[in-house]
Amino acid sequence: MKAFVPTGDPAEPVVLADVAEPTPRPDEALVKVEAFSVNRGETFRLERPAPGDRPGKDVAGLVVQAAADGSGPPAVTRVVGHPMAGGWAEYVAVPAHALAELPDGVSVLHGAALPLAGLTALRLLRAAGPVLGRRVLLTGASGGVGHFVTELAAAAGAQVTAVTRNAERGARLVELGAAEIVHDVADARGPYDLVLESTGGRALPLALARLARRGTLVWFGQACRTPVTLDFFDFFTGPESAVVRHFHYLDADTRLGDDLATLVRLTAEGRLHPEIGRVADWADTATALTDLRDRRIRGKAVLTLS
């Protein structure tokens, strides 16, 4: 089959190659990929690929071989899936617990845009606890996770202040329910009951300083790739007794497939709106990767296989 493999070359991060079709384990289904989406974190990993790396975590397509142990959807079921690797290919083996049925009303394009960003947003808000009536500061709101967090949190009754440098993106976040847009964390007024922080560097200490006493900051990323420096004594000037919590989306008590099904249902009901910044044939994958890395794409880059 055809699949994308890393090159380690920033100018052409992946190339299309002939590889062996995957052999599913008993608890895996074989999925014919019809669309896959790209996450910015995957572009970081492509900078220094390990031997045997095969990218691709967000896919939508058709089950062509059901899991042998009887778990998961049957053959000829439209699905959205979240394998840990290998999704940028014609076929991918996906654990049955990481698949959800895709109804006819949800396209494979929107399905492929859901998994990593949607799962992160859904589980992040669960980890944060009830948000009804709470003031929430969200950094790094321009990306896919920020989009989903804004829409889900606002629908749950939160008053969301979203940080984005992009005016067009800010306008869209207001449409999705954000109460306020600021273009720099330093411009956020606070105090906030909850801070959801994903950029790291200078942004995290600034966001923490705007947290209310005994508030919570959930740290779920470091997009700027610059380490954070915190001063213990800064807590006494505002966020006294605050909680700083690390978050990883795979550390959850729910199954991936169940949470994917929730995201699909909300999308089908018109309550969640996956943002697609670019749709292209998979022959344009390398261009989409460099554009995403350089922030020339707003929303998900979704590649279709033809």
Side-chain angles (χ1 to χ4, degrees):
M1 69 172 186
K2 298 290 186 181
F4 284 103
V5 297
T7 65
D9 179 2
E12 190 179 15
V14 294
V15 294
L16 196 58
D18 291 308
V19 303
E21 187 176 302
T23 302
R25 298 193 305 261
D27 63 343
E28 292 180 328
L30 185 65
V31 175
K32 184 182 190 316
V33 179
E34 296 178 10
F36 63 83
S37 68
V38 178
N39 298 289
R40 192 158 180 263
E42 291 174 302
T43 68
F44 295 161
R45 187 174 177 88
L46 289 174
E47 294 173 6
R48 294 182 180 178
D53 270 2
R54 286 272 310 285
K57 293 187 174 186
D58 291 0
V59 302
L62 190 72
V63 174
V64 294
Q65 180 183 319
D69 66 2
S71 61
V76 202
T77 302
R78 297 176 73 245
V79 290
V80 55
H82 189 54
M84 290 298 101
W88 299 359
E90 290 183 290
Y91 296 91
V92 61
V94 185
H97 69 80
L99 288 168
E101 185 173 347
L102 202 59
D104 291 339
V106 180
S107 71
V108 291
L109 300 179
H110 288 107
L114 283 172
L116 181 58
L119 289 166
T120 300
L122 182 66
R123 292 176 167 188
L124 177 65
L125 288 170
R126 285 180 182 157
V131 296
L132 178 62
R134 300 179 75 190
R135 296 194 67 194
V136 177
L137 178 64
L138 171 66
T139 68
S142 292
V145 175
H147 161 88
F148 286 132
V149 167
T150 298
E151 189 165 21
L152 291 171
Q159 185 178 354
V160 180
T161 296
V163 183
T164 174
R165 296 185 183 276
N166 183 277
E168 180 182 351
R169 191 62 173 163
R172 177 58 177 152
L173 291 169
V174 169
E175 291 176 359
L176 295 171
E180 182 182 19
I181 301 297
V182 295
H183 299 301
D184 192 289
V185 180
D187 298 328
R189 290 169 291 180
Y192 298 96
D193 306 298
L194 173 67
V195 170
L196 304 175
E197 213 294 296
S198 65
T199 52
R202 63 178 285 275
L204 192 149
L206 288 172
L208 181 64
R210 284 146 181 81
L211 193 62
R213 180 172 175 265
R214 296 185 181 177
T216 299
L217 183 148
V218 184
W219 189 8
F220 69 100
Q222 191 162 291
C224 77
R225 309 175 79 177
T226 301
V228 172
T229 300
L230 295 177
D231 187 333
F232 174 83
F233 295 101
D234 284 345
F235 284 82
F236 295 105
T237 63
E240 189 173 9
S241 301
V243 173
V244 177
R245 174 176 175 173
H246 174 262
F247 169 85
H248 181 221
Y249 84 104
L250 289 177
D251 182 17
D253 297 326
T254 49
R255 295 170 71 252
L256 288 167
D258 292 339
D259 286 346
L260 282 172
T262 295
L263 296 167
V264 169
R265 175 178 58 80
L266 292 173
T267 302
E269 294 172 353
R271 299 164 62 189
L272 193 65
H273 300 85
E275 296 273 297
I276 299 176
R278 175 181 296 176
V279 177
D281 182 87
W282 70 335
D284 296 321
T285 297
T287 301
L289 288 174
T290 55
D291 285 351
L292 183 66
R293 180 196 63 200
D294 298 336
R295 297 181 180 271
R296 289 194 290 263
I297 298 176
R298 298 292 173 181
K300 278 283 191 176
V302 178
L303 287 300
T304 59
L305 277 65
S306 60

